[in-house]
């Protein structure tokens, strides 16, 4: 068993896995391209990355705008760290607390969010089909599937 942060899976060897699956995880990562590069690094040639991220219209993020690919790429180029709270004001303003009872209301959610690096409760980014496709293409992953799966976007890419 390995326990590692998605943006640093250096405990895993290059090209050692047939597939990597991330379910409802990528939105909690401040630098998703950095994490996906790690996923690709550990994949064998021909291996697949499978990612599921929530569709905003079905979550407490429904009031937020989709995060553009350009923004996600800028975060990567600026080496955004997982301690980043850049999106916190937007999240706190637009979060639908009625759809997120465990948040405990605005004040409890704000307190918990200030410790995001420890608990990873925030959705840094809100993904759409276009941004997911562009990220995979940027990483030279052949998109072999992009659809809806149980309230999530599911994208499958093959390392070529």
């Amino acid at each position: 068993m390995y326990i590692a942060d998605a943006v640093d899976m250096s405990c895993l060897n290059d090209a050692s896995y047939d597939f990597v699956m991330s379910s409802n995880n990528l939105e909690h990562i401040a630098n998703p391209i950095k994490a996906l590069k790690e996923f690709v690094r550990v994949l064998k040639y021909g291996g697949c990355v499978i990612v599921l991220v929530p569709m905003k219209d079905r979550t407490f993020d429904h009031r937020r705008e989709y995060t553009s690919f350009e923004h996600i790429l800028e975060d990567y180029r600026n080496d955004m760290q997982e301690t980043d709270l850049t999106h916190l004001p937007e999240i706190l303003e637009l979060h639908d607390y009625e759809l997120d009872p465990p948040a405990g209301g605005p004040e409890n959610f704000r307190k918990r969010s200030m410790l995001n690096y420890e608990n990873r409760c925030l959705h840094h980014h809100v993904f759409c089909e276009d941004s997911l496709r562009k990220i995979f293409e940027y990483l030279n992953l052949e998109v072999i599937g992009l659809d809806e799966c149980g309230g999530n976007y599911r994208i499958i890419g093959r390392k070529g």
Side-chain angles (χ1 to χ4, degrees):
M1 179 187 316
Y2 298 97
I3 299 174
D5 193 316
V7 298
D8 179 14
M9 300 190 314
S10 56
C11 60
L12 302 176
N13 293 326
D14 293 356
S16 53
Y17 290 89
D18 294 315
F19 73 93
V20 175
M21 181 170 181
S22 171
S23 179
N24 294 97
N25 178 45
L26 203 60
E27 66 277 6
H28 294 277
I29 299 173
N31 195 334
I33 291 178
K34 187 174 183 180
L36 284 162
K37 284 187 75 129
E38 280 291 275
F39 296 175
V40 172
R41 180 186 64 76
V42 303
L43 273 183
K44 296 176 184 175
Y45 179 81
C48 289
V49 175
I50 305 161
V51 172
L52 284 89
V53 293
M55 300 172 78
K56 81 169 191 163
D57 295 340
R58 309 238 177 128
T59 72
F60 44 73
D61 286 326
H62 65 92
R63 296 176 182 145
R64 294 177 66 195
E65 295 293 323
Y66 290 114
T67 309
S68 70
F69 168 71
E70 292 74 21
H71 176 101
I72 294 167
L73 184 58
E74 183 179 331
D75 284 352
Y76 172 68
R77 288 181 173 156
N78 290 331
D79 195 27
M80 187 65 65
Q81 298 299 303
E82 293 307 303
T83 53
D84 176 67
L85 292 175
T86 301
H87 300 93
L88 185 57
E90 172 201 3
I91 293 167
L92 293 174
E93 178 185 346
L94 300 175
H95 194 84
D96 188 339
Y97 296 97
E98 288 184 24
L99 292 180
D100 188 15
E107 187 55 31
N108 285 334
F109 185 67
R110 187 191 67 73
K111 287 178 186 176
R112 187 176 78 181
S113 297
M114 295 304 294
L115 301 172
N116 187 62
Y117 183 71
E118 296 172 20
N119 60 46
R120 306 294 175 100
C121 67
L122 297 179
H123 286 186
H124 291 274
H125 303 289
V126 180
F127 296 96
C128 64
E129 291 180 45
D130 183 62
S131 62
L132 290 168
R133 184 177 298 281
K134 286 179 178 176
I135 293 167
F136 272 49
E137 289 170 356
Y138 176 79
L139 296 170
N140 296 314
L141 290 166
E142 174 193 1
V143 176
I144 59 174
L146 177 55
D147 60 7
E148 181 182 334
C149 177
N152 297 289
Y153 290 116
R154 174 178 51 197
I155 185 167
I156 304 169
R158 181 179 299 128
K159 180 178 180 178

